[in-house]
Amino acid sequence: MAKVKGAIVVDTERCKGCSLCVVACPLEVIALAKEVNLKGYNYALQVVEDKCNGCTSCATVCPDGCITVYRTKVE
Amino acid sequence: MDKQDIIKPENLVYKKPTLMNDNPMHYCPGCSHGVVHKLIAEVIEEMGLENKAVGVSPVGCAVFIYNYLDIDWEEAAHGRAPAVATAIKRLWPENLVFTYQGDGDLAAIGTAETIHALNRGENITIIFINNAIYGMTGGQMAPTTLVGMKTATCPYGRDPKIQGYPLKITEIAAQLEGTAYVTRQSVQTPAAIRKAKKAIRKAFENSMQGKGSNLVEIVSTCNSGWKMSPVKANKWMEENMFPFYPLGDLKDKE
Ligand SMILES: Cc1ncc(C[n+]2csc(CCOP(=O)(O)OP(=O)(O)O)c2C)c(N)n1
Ligand code: SF4
Ligand code: SF4
Ligand code: SF4
Ligand SMILES: [Mg+2]
């Protein structure tokens, strides 16, 4: 069966570190960075490389539209 | 498979809507306003009305919405957005005309404009962001503030004996002859967001088909005013706001 693989790209400068994407991700793929962006926020990052399935939950709940999601099937 | 092999244009499944520009939004982290802005942009794009949409922005935290969504906007005086939208829609009936208003704007200073525009059956949509507080001015009590809820102007909690009861404008709107579609939604989970988007789409379509006026209330958070983290505010909303402001369609004149 084909497996679905996903990846997210976070606009870390736009991110406000609100954590809504962190709790929305069913696979616990996202965490806030220890570092801060220019606005002083701990930005969100995809911290687990292999687990994301591209479900778009994180991006849907992000109030600032910081997350872009990609998804593909692998045999 | 490497992350870089997944990140390709043909695999794109979600991005910020095109109508939402790159200006950083001034909202507090995690504020519901941003989510609703995205939904409005997506619906307008999906309806192909980018060049026909005219929004009327409020006084309140969303006053600068015109800096974030690249459609035509008119800024109204506090509470007067439905009156301004009435004029625009009557002069330009082919355009999609909607207002975007907070609960202080819509349910306090603008109560008269709101109720009369809805009752006249103006072919507009009112997007009503109910966060039960005056967010912009520092978290004062609004007509929508829950009984017992603490704000800057009812620091011991709203007491009906002193401040009266919270006002359910959406229930009132459902009783008015002029309204076609009246609904209450929320945007704290992906499922809720999908429902809210469908509601906005239906309201916009009704207004374009001349069916009457439409009210989409979004029960929202103001985590700064409520003095909670964004995640906690969403939970608090589910536990405290939803019992008093239950979600769902109140009226749907097919
Ligand atoms: C005529 C007038 N009266 C009062 C104000 C002060 N004022 C600015 S925003 C606001 C209320 C905003 O609350 P709400 O509409 O709920 O929007 P939110 O910020 O919560 O999204 C008030 C009373 C004003 N700007 N103009
Ligand atoms: S797309 Fe889905 S699985 Fe991937 S990070 Fe976002 S919420 Fe998690
Ligand atoms: S939801 Fe958006 S703004 Fe909030 S932490 Fe995640 S990416 Fe950043
Ligand atoms: S004050 Fe409240 S409504 Fe205004 S931007 Fe902040 S969280 Fe949002
Ligand atoms: Mg408010």
Side-chain angles (χ1 to χ4, degrees):
Chain A
M1 220 183 77
K3 231 182 136 198
V4 180
K5 286 255 170 215
I8 62 164
V9 178
V10 182
D11 183 340
T12 53
E13 277 313 314
R14 196 173 164 86
C15 173
K16 294 174 182 166
C18 72
S19 272
L20 292 182
C21 58
V22 176
V23 299
C25 177
L27 302 176
E28 295 177 17
V29 166
I30 311 174
L32 296 190
K34 288 201 179 67
E35 297 74 29
V36 294
N37 61 18
L38 286 176
K39 293 193 212 119
Y41 293 124
N42 298 96
Y43 48 86
L45 276 182
Q46 177 174 351
V47 290
V48 188
E49 281 291 320
D50 234 24
K51 240 162 113 190
C52 172
N53 63 11
C55 71
T56 73
S57 291
C58 55
T60 303
V61 302
C62 174
D64 290 87
C66 308
I67 304 180
T68 308
V69 186
Y70 298 87
R71 182 169 61 213
T72 188
K73 277 193 186 130
V74 283
E75 296 308 320
Chain B
M1 190 177 229
D2 260 6
K3 195 175 171 186
Q4 285 322 312
D5 298 322
I6 306 171
I7 300 173
K8 287 182 180 153
E10 64 268 29
N11 296 335
L12 178 74
V13 285
Y14 188 102
K15 68 171 176 59
K16 177 165 73 64
T18 314
L19 281 181
M20 179 175 274
N21 59 36
D22 290 332
N23 293 338
M25 297 197 285
H26 70 288
Y27 301 116
C28 307
C31 175
S32 308
H33 276 302
V35 183
V36 185
H37 286 20
K38 283 199 306 182
L39 294 186
I40 291 171
E42 287 173 6
V43 170
I44 292 172
E45 284 173 26
E46 285 165 22
M47 291 176 77
L49 293 174
E50 291 92 333
N51 296 316
K52 283 202 158 181
V54 186
V56 183
S57 57
V59 170
C61 278
V63 64
F64 295 132
I65 187 172
Y66 48 71
N67 287 333
Y68 310 138
L69 299 188
D70 286 336
I71 55 169
D72 283 335
W73 287 97
E74 182 65 50
E75 165 62 35
H78 203 8
R80 274 57 178 174
V84 175
T86 297
I88 297 171
K89 184 66 180 180
R90 287 189 181 199
L91 290 166
W92 288 340
E94 303 304 315
N95 284 66
L96 172 75
V97 182
F98 68 95
T99 72
Y100 185 103
Q101 302 174 256
D103 48 321
D105 188 85
L106 177 146
I109 193 167
T111 313
E113 283 76 5
T114 302
I115 286 180
H116 288 294
L118 292 171
N119 197 39
R120 288 193 304 269
E122 304 294 343
N123 291 307
I124 59 170
T125 296
I126 294 178
I127 310 279
F128 167 30
I129 307 298
N130 180 9
N131 54 18
I133 207 161
Y134 288 8
M136 185 194 214
T137 42
Q140 294 83 1
M141 195 194 79
T144 44
T145 298
L146 298 175
V147 169
M149 184 175 171
K150 290 179 180 152
T151 72
T153 45
C154 50
Y156 305 108
R158 181 177 189 159
D159 177 355
K161 287 208 244 4
I162 301 170
Q163 290 105 355
Y165 293 93
L167 186 57
K168 294 185 178 184
I169 285 275
T170 303
E171 273 75 358
I172 296 173
Q175 306 303 316
L176 304 174
E177 268 324 305
T179 49
Y181 180 50
V182 178
T183 187
R184 186 183 279 124
Q185 303 288 332
S186 67
V187 292
Q188 83 287 15
T189 62
I193 291 168
R194 278 190 288 275
K195 274 198 195 160
K197 182 173 169 182
K198 275 202 191 126
I200 294 171
R201 170 102 193 209
K202 180 175 206 153
F204 281 5
E205 281 172 354
N206 278 352
S207 73
M208 291 307 281
Q209 290 160 8
K211 289 188 175 167
S213 51
N214 305 277
L215 178 67
V216 181
E217 173 178 345
I218 311 279
V219 182
S220 298
T221 64
C222 169
N223 60 73
S224 287
W226 296 1
K227 306 194 190 312
M228 293 172 197
S229 72
V231 173
K232 178 111 195 293
N234 275 342
K235 268 231 112 37
W236 193 90
M237 173 180 71
E238 287 176 347
E239 286 164 9
N240 297 279
M241 297 273 281
F242 291 178
F244 189 76
Y245 296 117
L247 304 185
D249 291 350
L250 286 88
K251 179 179 189 179
D252 189 359
K253 226 195 243 175
E254 284 291 352

